[in-house]
Amino acid sequence: MSRPTGPHTADPCPRCFHEAVRLGAPRPAADPRTVDYSCDRCGHCWDRPVENDLEIHDTVRADLLHATLYGEVWQLEDDRILIRGGGGGGGAWRRWVERWRVILY
């Protein structure tokens, strides 16, 4: 289960369950459809597929360097996604995000 940690969301390692912020990294051009992760605590490495079945208005999470953003898909392109969020007291925002950073919720 993921949980907020300041401006980011922490995820557990599938092996040792240690929760930490893990931004992941896109796999090299040999297989650009996956994102690699590693645990600093136990050294376990795993990956996840890049989301390729997103649709407009899907709820997503984007792990960025400065924060984790939650919003809805507003526009789709091959390598990036426009996410729309906010709308509450802080106002709405839109941000283009690289596709590999987005996780379907």
Side-chain angles (χ1 to χ4, degrees), residues 33-55:
R33 298 168 308 206
T34 59
V35 179
D36 292 331
Y37 295 91
S38 63
C39 179
D40 293 337
R41 184 176 185 189
C42 72
H44 180 62
C45 296
W46 68 97
D47 61 25
R48 69 165 176 84
V50 172
E51 303 289 351
N52 62 3
D53 60 348
L54 294 172
E55 296 180 9

Short mmCIF file of all heavy atoms in Angstrom, two decimals, residues 33-55:
data_model
loop_
_atom_site.label_atom_id
_atom_site.label_comp_id
_atom_site.label_asym_id
_atom_site.label_seq_id
_atom_site.Cartn_x
_atom_site.Cartn_y
_atom_site.Cartn_z
N ARG A 33 9.51 -0.13 -22.77
CA ARG A 33 8.15 -0.29 -22.26
C ARG A 33 8.11 -0.64 -20.79
O ARG A 33 7.05 -0.98 -20.26
CB ARG A 33 7.44 -1.38 -23.07
CG ARG A 33 7.30 -1.05 -24.55
CD ARG A 33 6.87 -2.25 -25.29
NE ARG A 33 7.80 -3.33 -24.94
CZ ARG A 33 8.09 -4.36 -25.69
NH1 ARG A 33 7.50 -4.52 -26.81
NH2 ARG A 33 8.95 -5.27 -25.30
N THR A 34 9.23 -0.58 -20.10
CA THR A 34 9.26 -0.90 -18.67
C THR A 34 10.01 0.17 -17.89
O THR A 34 10.85 0.88 -18.43
CB THR A 34 9.90 -2.26 -18.40
OG1 THR A 34 11.23 -2.25 -18.90
CG2 THR A 34 9.13 -3.39 -19.04
N VAL A 35 9.69 0.25 -16.59
CA VAL A 35 10.34 1.18 -15.67
C VAL A 35 10.99 0.33 -14.58
O VAL A 35 10.35 -0.55 -14.01
CB VAL A 35 9.31 2.15 -15.04
CG1 VAL A 35 9.99 3.09 -14.07
CG2 VAL A 35 8.58 2.92 -16.13
N ASP A 36 12.27 0.58 -14.33
CA ASP A 36 13.02 -0.19 -13.34
C ASP A 36 13.04 0.50 -11.98
O ASP A 36 13.14 1.73 -11.90
CB ASP A 36 14.47 -0.38 -13.81
CG ASP A 36 14.56 -1.27 -15.03
OD1 ASP A 36 13.71 -2.15 -15.20
OD2 ASP A 36 15.51 -1.07 -15.82
N TYR A 37 12.97 -0.31 -10.92
CA TYR A 37 13.03 0.17 -9.54
C TYR A 37 14.03 -0.69 -8.77
O TYR A 37 14.29 -1.83 -9.14
CB TYR A 37 11.67 0.04 -8.85
CG TYR A 37 10.60 0.92 -9.44
CD1 TYR A 37 9.79 0.45 -10.46
CD2 TYR A 37 10.40 2.21 -8.97
CE1 TYR A 37 8.81 1.26 -11.01
CE2 TYR A 37 9.42 3.02 -9.51
CZ TYR A 37 8.63 2.54 -10.53
OH TYR A 37 7.66 3.33 -11.07
N SER A 38 14.56 -0.13 -7.67
CA SER A 38 15.43 -0.92 -6.79
C SER A 38 15.23 -0.44 -5.35
O SER A 38 14.85 0.69 -5.10
CB SER A 38 16.89 -0.78 -7.19
OG SER A 38 17.32 0.54 -7.05
N CYS A 39 15.48 -1.36 -4.43
CA CYS A 39 15.35 -1.08 -3.00
C CYS A 39 16.75 -0.83 -2.42
O CYS A 39 17.64 -1.67 -2.54
CB CYS A 39 14.70 -2.27 -2.29
SG CYS A 39 14.53 -2.03 -0.50
N ASP A 40 16.92 0.34 -1.82
CA ASP A 40 18.21 0.67 -1.20
C ASP A 40 18.48 -0.18 0.03
O ASP A 40 19.63 -0.36 0.42
CB ASP A 40 18.24 2.15 -0.80
CG ASP A 40 18.23 3.07 -2.01
OD1 ASP A 40 18.62 2.62 -3.11
OD2 ASP A 40 17.81 4.22 -1.86
N ARG A 41 17.44 -0.70 0.63
CA ARG A 41 17.59 -1.47 1.87
C ARG A 41 18.06 -2.91 1.61
O ARG A 41 19.01 -3.38 2.21
CB ARG A 41 16.29 -1.48 2.64
CG ARG A 41 16.37 -2.15 3.97
CD ARG A 41 15.04 -2.00 4.67
NE ARG A 41 15.09 -2.54 6.00
CZ ARG A 41 14.03 -2.69 6.74
NH1 ARG A 41 12.85 -2.33 6.30
NH2 ARG A 41 14.13 -3.20 7.95
N CYS A 42 17.35 -3.65 0.73
CA CYS A 42 17.69 -5.06 0.52
C CYS A 42 18.33 -5.35 -0.84
O CYS A 42 18.76 -6.47 -1.10
CB CYS A 42 16.45 -5.94 0.70
SG CYS A 42 15.24 -5.81 -0.63
N GLY A 43 18.36 -4.36 -1.73
CA GLY A 43 18.99 -4.53 -3.03
C GLY A 43 18.11 -5.19 -4.09
O GLY A 43 18.56 -5.41 -5.21
N HIS A 44 16.87 -5.49 -3.74
CA HIS A 44 15.96 -6.13 -4.70
C HIS A 44 15.65 -5.18 -5.86
O HIS A 44 15.48 -3.97 -5.66
CB HIS A 44 14.66 -6.52 -3.99
CG HIS A 44 13.65 -7.18 -4.87
ND1 HIS A 44 13.89 -8.37 -5.51
CD2 HIS A 44 12.41 -6.80 -5.23
CE1 HIS A 44 12.83 -8.71 -6.22
NE2 HIS A 44 11.91 -7.76 -6.07
N CYS A 45 15.59 -5.70 -7.08
CA CYS A 45 15.25 -4.92 -8.27
C CYS A 45 13.99 -5.50 -8.90
O CYS A 45 13.80 -6.71 -8.91
CB CYS A 45 16.38 -4.97 -9.29
SG CYS A 45 17.90 -4.21 -8.70
N TRP A 46 13.12 -4.65 -9.40
CA TRP A 46 11.90 -5.08 -10.07
C TRP A 46 11.53 -4.04 -11.11
O TRP A 46 12.15 -2.99 -11.21
CB TRP A 46 10.77 -5.30 -9.06
CG TRP A 46 10.25 -4.07 -8.40
CD1 TRP A 46 9.15 -3.35 -8.75
CD2 TRP A 46 10.78 -3.42 -7.24
NE1 TRP A 46 8.97 -2.29 -7.89
CE2 TRP A 46 9.96 -2.31 -6.96
CE3 TRP A 46 11.88 -3.65 -6.43
CZ2 TRP A 46 10.21 -1.44 -5.91
CZ3 TRP A 46 12.13 -2.79 -5.38
CH2 TRP A 46 11.30 -1.71 -5.12
N ASP A 47 10.52 -4.35 -11.90
CA ASP A 47 10.07 -3.39 -12.90
C ASP A 47 8.55 -3.42 -13.01
O ASP A 47 7.89 -4.27 -12.42
CB ASP A 47 10.71 -3.68 -14.26
CG ASP A 47 10.37 -5.05 -14.82
OD1 ASP A 47 9.32 -5.62 -14.47
OD2 ASP A 47 11.16 -5.57 -15.62
N ARG A 48 8.03 -2.46 -13.75
CA ARG A 48 6.61 -2.40 -14.05
C ARG A 48 6.47 -1.96 -15.50
O ARG A 48 7.35 -1.26 -16.02
CB ARG A 48 5.86 -1.44 -13.13
CG ARG A 48 6.20 0.01 -13.35
CD ARG A 48 5.19 0.95 -12.69
NE ARG A 48 5.62 2.33 -12.85
CZ ARG A 48 5.37 3.07 -13.92
NH1 ARG A 48 4.71 2.58 -14.95
NH2 ARG A 48 5.80 4.32 -13.99
N PRO A 49 5.41 -2.34 -16.15
CA PRO A 49 5.22 -1.90 -17.53
C PRO A 49 4.83 -0.43 -17.59
O PRO A 49 4.18 0.09 -16.68
CB PRO A 49 4.09 -2.79 -18.05
CG PRO A 49 3.34 -3.21 -16.82
CD PRO A 49 4.36 -3.26 -15.71
N VAL A 50 5.22 0.23 -18.66
CA VAL A 50 4.76 1.59 -18.91
C VAL A 50 3.29 1.47 -19.31
O VAL A 50 2.91 0.60 -20.09
CB VAL A 50 5.58 2.25 -20.04
CG1 VAL A 50 4.98 3.59 -20.44
CG2 VAL A 50 7.03 2.42 -19.61
N GLU A 51 2.45 2.34 -18.74
CA GLU A 51 1.01 2.29 -19.01
C GLU A 51 0.75 2.57 -20.49
O GLU A 51 1.10 3.63 -21.00
CB GLU A 51 0.27 3.32 -18.15
CG GLU A 51 0.49 3.17 -16.66
CD GLU A 51 -0.18 1.95 -16.07
OE1 GLU A 51 -0.98 1.29 -16.76
OE2 GLU A 51 0.08 1.65 -14.91
N ASN A 52 0.13 1.62 -21.17
CA ASN A 52 -0.15 1.82 -22.60
C ASN A 52 -1.64 1.74 -22.92
O ASN A 52 -2.03 1.85 -24.08
CB ASN A 52 0.63 0.83 -23.45
CG ASN A 52 0.25 -0.60 -23.15
OD1 ASN A 52 -0.64 -0.86 -22.36
ND2 ASN A 52 0.93 -1.53 -23.79
N ASP A 53 -2.48 1.57 -21.91
CA ASP A 53 -3.91 1.47 -22.16
C ASP A 53 -4.69 2.58 -21.45
O ASP A 53 -5.83 2.40 -21.04
CB ASP A 53 -4.44 0.10 -21.75
CG ASP A 53 -4.21 -0.20 -20.28
OD1 ASP A 53 -3.46 0.55 -19.63
OD2 ASP A 53 -4.77 -1.18 -19.78
N LEU A 54 -4.07 3.74 -21.34
CA LEU A 54 -4.73 4.87 -20.68
C LEU A 54 -5.78 5.48 -21.60
O LEU A 54 -5.66 5.44 -22.82
CB LEU A 54 -3.70 5.95 -20.32
CG LEU A 54 -2.68 5.56 -19.28
CD1 LEU A 54 -1.62 6.64 -19.17
CD2 LEU A 54 -3.35 5.35 -17.93
N GLU A 55 -6.79 6.05 -20.99
CA GLU A 55 -7.85 6.73 -21.72
C GLU A 55 -8.09 8.09 -21.08
O GLU A 55 -7.76 8.32 -19.91
CB GLU A 55 -9.14 5.91 -21.68
CG GLU A 55 -9.00 4.57 -22.38
CD GLU A 55 -10.29 3.76 -22.34
OE1 GLU A 55 -11.34 4.31 -21.93
OE2 GLU A 55 -10.25 2.59 -22.71
#
